Coordinates of all heavy atoms in Angstrom, one line a residue:
F89 N 136.7 102.5 110.7 CA 136.0 101.3 110.5 C 134.5 101.6 110.4 O 133.9 102.5 111.2 CB 136.1 100.1 111.6 CG 137.4 99.5 111.5 CD1 138.5 100.1 112.2 CD2 137.6 98.3 110.8 CE1 139.8 99.4 112.2 CE2 138.8 97.8 110.7 CZ 139.9 98.3 111.4
N151 N 137.2 99.6 99.9 CA 138.1 99.0 100.9 C 139.3 98.2 100.0 O 140.2 97.6 100.6 CB 137.4 97.8 101.7 CG 136.6 98.4 102.6 OD1 136.9 98.8 103.7 ND2 135.3 98.2 102.4
Y156 N 145.9 95.8 97.9 CA 144.9 94.8 98.4 C 143.6 94.9 97.7 O 143.1 96.2 97.6 CB 144.7 95.0 100.0 CG 143.6 94.2 100.5 CD1 143.9 92.7 100.7 CD2 142.4 94.6 100.9 CE1 142.8 92.0 101.3 CE2 141.3 93.9 101.4 CZ 141.5 92.5 101.6 OH 140.5 91.8 102.1
V158 N 139.7 93.7 97.4 CA 138.6 92.9 98.0 C 137.9 92.0 96.9 O 137.5 92.6 95.8 CB 137.6 93.9 98.7 CG1 136.4 93.0 99.3 CG2 138.1 94.7 99.7
D162 N 134.5 87.6 99.2 CA 135.0 87.9 100.5 C 134.1 88.9 101.3 O 134.3 89.1 102.5 CB 136.4 88.4 100.6 CG 137.4 87.4 100.1 OD1 137.1 86.2 100.2 OD2 138.4 87.9 99.7
P164 N 131.2 89.9 103.4 CA 130.2 89.1 104.3 C 128.8 89.7 104.3 O 128.6 90.9 103.8 CB 130.8 89.2 105.7 CG 131.5 90.5 105.6 CD 132.0 90.6 104.3
I179 N 130.0 94.4 114.0 CA 130.1 93.9 112.8 C 130.9 92.5 113.0 O 131.5 92.3 114.0 CB 130.9 94.8 111.7 CG1 132.3 95.1 112.3 CG2 130.2 96.1 111.5 CD1 133.2 96.0 111.5
S180 N 130.9 91.7 112.0 CA 131.6 90.5 112.0 C 133.1 90.7 111.9 O 133.6 91.6 111.3 CB 131.1 89.6 110.8 OG 131.5 90.1 109.5
P181 N 133.8 89.8 112.5 CA 135.4 89.9 112.3 C 135.7 89.9 110.8 O 136.6 90.5 110.4 CB 135.9 88.6 113.0 CG 134.9 88.3 114.0 CD 133.5 88.7 113.3
E182 N 134.8 89.2 110.0 CA 135.3 89.2 108.5 C 135.1 90.6 107.8 O 135.9 90.9 107.0 CB 134.3 88.2 107.8 CG 134.6 86.7 108.1 CD 134.1 86.4 109.6 OE1 133.1 87.1 110.1 OE2 134.4 85.2 110.1
Y183 N 134.1 91.2 108.3 CA 133.9 92.5 107.7 C 134.9 93.6 108.2 O 135.4 94.4 107.5 CB 132.3 93.1 108.1 CG 132.1 94.5 107.5 CD1 132.6 94.8 106.2 CD2 131.1 95.2 108.1 CE1 132.3 96.1 105.7 CE2 130.8 96.5 107.4 CZ 131.4 96.8 106.3 OH 131.0 98.1 105.7
A184 N 135.3 93.4 109.5 CA 136.3 94.2 110.0 C 137.8 93.9 109.2 O 138.5 94.9 109.0 CB 136.6 94.0 111.5
E185 N 138.0 92.7 108.9 CA 139.1 92.4 108.3 C 139.4 92.9 106.8 O 140.4 93.3 106.6 CB 139.3 90.8 108.3 CG 139.7 90.2 109.6 CD 139.5 88.7 109.6 OE1 139.3 88.0 108.5 OE2 139.7 88.1 110.7
I186 N 138.3 92.9 106.1 CA 138.4 93.5 104.8 C 138.6 95.0 104.8 O 138.7 95.6 103.8 CB 137.2 93.1 103.9 CG1 136.0 93.7 104.3 CG2 137.1 91.5 103.8 CD1 134.8 93.5 103.4
Q187 N 138.3 95.6 106.0 CA 138.5 97.1 106.2 C 139.9 97.4 106.6 O 140.3 98.6 106.5 CB 137.4 97.6 107.1 CG 136.0 97.5 106.6 CD 135.0 98.2 107.6 OE1 135.1 99.4 107.7 NE2 134.2 97.5 108.3
V188 N 140.7 96.4 107.1 CA 142.0 96.8 107.6 C 142.9 97.5 106.8 O 143.5 98.4 107.1 CB 142.5 95.4 108.2 CG1 144.1 95.5 108.4 CG2 141.9 94.8 109.4
H189 N 143.1 97.0 105.6 CA 144.1 97.6 104.6 C 143.7 99.1 104.4 O 144.6 100.0 104.3 CB 144.2 96.8 103.3 CG 144.9 95.5 103.5 ND1 144.2 94.4 104.1 CD2 146.2 95.2 103.2 CE1 145.1 93.5 104.1 NE2 146.3 93.8 103.5
R190 N 142.4 99.3 104.1 CA 141.9 100.7 103.8 C 142.2 101.6 105.1 O 142.7 102.7 105.0 CB 140.5 100.7 103.4 CG 140.0 102.1 103.1 CD 139.1 102.6 104.2 NE 137.9 101.6 104.4 CZ 137.2 101.7 105.5 NH1 137.5 102.5 106.5 NH2 136.1 100.9 105.6
V191 N 141.9 101.1 106.3 CA 142.0 101.9 107.5 C 143.6 102.2 107.7 O 143.9 103.3 108.0 CB 141.4 101.3 108.7 CG1 141.7 101.8 110.0 CG2 139.9 101.1 108.5
V199 N 149.7 97.5 108.6 CA 148.6 96.7 108.5 C 148.6 95.7 109.6 O 147.6 95.4 110.2 CB 148.6 95.9 107.2 CG1 147.6 94.7 107.2 CG2 148.4 96.7 106.0
V202 N 147.0 97.3 112.7 CA 145.5 97.3 112.6 C 144.8 96.0 112.8 O 143.8 95.8 113.4 CB 145.0 98.1 111.3 CG1 143.5 98.1 111.2 CG2 145.7 99.4 111.2
E203 N 145.5 95.0 112.1 CA 145.1 93.6 112.3 C 145.1 93.2 113.8 O 144.1 92.5 114.3 CB 145.9 92.6 111.5 CG 145.7 92.7 109.9 CD 146.6 91.8 109.3 OE1 147.7 91.4 109.8 OE2 146.3 91.5 108.0
V206 N 142.0 94.9 115.6 CA 140.8 94.0 115.3 C 140.8 92.8 116.1 O 139.8 92.5 116.8 CB 140.6 93.7 113.9 CG1 139.4 92.8 113.6 CG2 140.5 95.0 113.0
A207 N 141.9 92.0 116.2 CA 141.9 90.9 116.9 C 141.6 91.1 118.5 O 140.9 90.4 119.2 CB 143.2 90.2 116.8
T210 N 137.9 91.7 119.1 CA 136.8 90.7 118.6 C 136.4 89.9 119.9 O 137.2 89.3 120.6 CB 137.6 89.7 117.8 OG1 138.1 90.5 116.5 CG2 136.6 88.6 117.3
V223 N 132.6 92.3 116.5 CA 133.5 93.4 116.8 C 132.7 94.7 117.1 O 131.9 95.1 116.2 CB 134.5 93.7 115.6 CG1 135.5 94.9 116.0 CG2 135.4 92.4 115.4
L228 N 136.3 99.8 118.6 CA 137.4 99.7 117.9 C 137.9 101.1 117.3 O 139.1 101.3 117.2 CB 136.9 98.7 116.6 CG 138.0 98.5 115.6 CD1 139.2 97.8 116.1 CD2 137.5 97.6 114.5

Side-chain angles (χ1 to χ4, degrees):
F89 283 93
N151 293 286
Y156 175 76
V158 177
D162 291 338
I179 58 176
S180 65
E182 292 76 19
Y183 186 24
E185 285 169 8
I186 66 174
Q187 298 186 61
V188 164
H189 288 77
R190 182 253 300 163
V191 169
V199 170
V202 183
E203 286 178 338
V206 171
T210 298
V223 181
L228 180 60

